[in-house]
Amino acid sequence: MTATLDWLGCATFRLSLGKLVVFLDAYIDRVPAAEPIGLAVDEIDRADWIVVGHSHFDHLYGAERIAKATGATIIGSHETVRVMEAQGVPLAQLMPVAGGERVRLSPDVTVSVFPSQHSCVWSHKKMSQADEVCVGDLGVTHQEQQQRMAELAKWFGELGPDVLAHLAASAQGPRGDGGALVFLFETPEGRLLYQDTSGHWSGIFRDLRPDVAILAAAGRGNIDGEPIQGSLARFVAQQADLLRPRRIVLSHHDDWLPGFSRAIDVAPIREELARSCPRSELVEMGYLESYPLFKGLA
Ligand SMILES: [Zn+2]
């Protein structure tokens, strides 16, 4: 079995483990202004599983079409499953999880699900760069966070018509983030951690020992429910320090929704990792590169 990973933009990847094909999130069709990935959802004809980290459109939109075209089963939060059921995905292809489950994907591959945290979207209006130090915003209640999110949503209305049309198409009805999840794949070649938004429970992360970690690098990091006091680069390095992976792959750091997102400069993350986790190799992946995930780690 050769494990390969294709980055499909934002936090979406295709994991190929021999004949087994697993999508990690499913957001592939983006606004026309976003850099093309070289693949559209409607071209996908092979998938066995789709694991979804949380229910926001930039992770879930597309899963309904991949599932219908391929017969793949979607593993995600109850919110993810609710939205997919409303989109017409048969119940037999929906597996709701909340963290604590170990799911067999094939005779020699399993995935374990863990509860996680969403990045602190509420804490900022513009996506900050990786070396920008953010402090404060501690102890903000859930209601205050909701209020700040509502103000952020108003600003979404100022984005161009292309973006608004895309947001309308991908909205698929009201939903929350559904509770963020992280996934730990165990394969004959090694262990892969998948995270699709910048947050974690440190008590969970410090006991996971992946060989390769896909870590989200966008927005303000969330540690145990509070925003990181420091930069995004520091957040990624702190996670690497907890997980101690041999290899790190970044996600969510491209300009996936121009006008709202911004391309994250990886240099400060690279420097911070070299300083604090010199044993973790940072892989800087382009779209559709079929990266041999565990090569050289055995
Ligand atoms: Zn999200």
Side-chain angles (χ1 to χ4, degrees):
M1 171 192 293
T2 301
T4 59
L5 193 68
D6 281 303
W7 184 29
L8 305 176
C10 199
T12 301
F13 294 84
R14 179 171 53 197
L15 173 64
S16 302
L17 300 160
K19 285 183 180 161
L20 189 72
V21 178
V22 185
F23 278 80
L24 316 178
D25 283 356
Y27 183 62
I28 295 164
D29 293 349
R30 323 195 282 184
V31 287
E35 193 190 329
I37 291 151
L39 185 70
V41 163
D42 290 339
E43 295 173 275
I44 294 164
D45 55 10
R46 284 258 308 116
D48 299 293
W49 299 89
I50 305 165
V51 305
V52 180
H54 67 285
S55 316
H56 284 155
F57 76 93
D58 53 321
H59 303 268
L60 184 54
Y61 179 55
E64 71 294 336
R65 278 166 292 150
I66 298 173
K68 286 178 200 169
T70 65
T73 298
I74 300 172
I75 304 175
S77 68
H78 288 264
E79 182 77 326
T80 287
V81 161
R82 183 188 66 77
V83 174
M84 289 295 96
E85 188 189 357
Q87 292 299 313
V89 178
L91 277 177
Q93 284 170 251
L94 293 168
M95 186 182 284
V97 289
E101 301 83 358
R102 182 158 178 259
V103 182
R104 182 161 299 285
L105 304 182
S106 77
D108 53 5
V109 177
T110 62
V111 65
S112 296
V113 189
F114 297 91
S116 196
Q117 292 276 312
H118 197 283
S119 73
C120 301
V121 186
W122 53 269
S123 74
H124 51 88
K125 186 169 170 187
K126 271 274 173 193
M127 291 272 180
S128 46
Q129 262 308 344
D131 57 353
E132 229 167 281
V133 173
C134 301
V135 293
D137 296 314
L138 292 166
V140 180
T141 63
H142 184 58
Q143 291 94 326
E144 288 165 336
Q145 291 180 13
Q146 300 284 89
Q147 181 84 42
R148 292 213 212 170
M149 277 299 283
E151 274 152 39
L152 191 72
K154 273 185 229 157
W155 171 75
F156 256 74
E158 294 165 27
L159 297 167
D162 275 359
V163 173
L164 291 178
H166 178 73
L167 290 177
S170 62
Q172 301 178 324
R175 97 281 297 278
D177 66 37
L181 300 167
V182 291
F183 299 90
L184 185 67
F185 293 86
E186 295 189 57
T187 82
E189 288 186 16
R191 289 147 61 92
L192 169 71
L193 178 91
Y194 174 58
Q195 177 199 53
D196 75 349
T197 177
S198 303
H200 67 263
W201 289 109
S202 51
I204 289 174
F205 256 32
R206 71 164 60 96
D207 290 329
L208 305 178
R209 284 282 174 273
D211 299 297
V212 181
I214 299 176
L215 298 176
R220 180 99 177 262
N222 182 336
I223 302 173
D224 301 332
E226 292 287 1
I228 176 137
Q229 303 299 300
S231 67
L232 176 64
R234 187 86 275 281
F235 177 74
V236 174
Q238 232 165 285
Q239 297 197 125
D241 195 37
L242 287 172
L243 296 163
R244 317 220 162 192
R246 305 269 302 279
R247 192 167 276 164
I248 293 168
V249 175
L250 300 179
S251 76
H252 221 319
H253 56 300
D254 61 341
D255 201 4
W256 54 276
L257 187 66
F260 174 72
S261 62
R262 58 199 281 193
I264 299 291
D265 177 11
V266 174
I269 299 174
R270 193 190 306 129
E271 285 157 26
E272 191 77 44
L273 283 171
R275 211 171 13 245
S276 52
C277 313
R279 287 171 157 184
S280 299
E281 171 202 359
L282 178 67
V283 177
E284 300 185 37
M285 206 178 277
Y287 302 145
L288 281 177
E289 285 186 347
S290 286
Y291 181 80
L293 200 50
F294 301 110
K295 195 178 178 190
L297 296 185

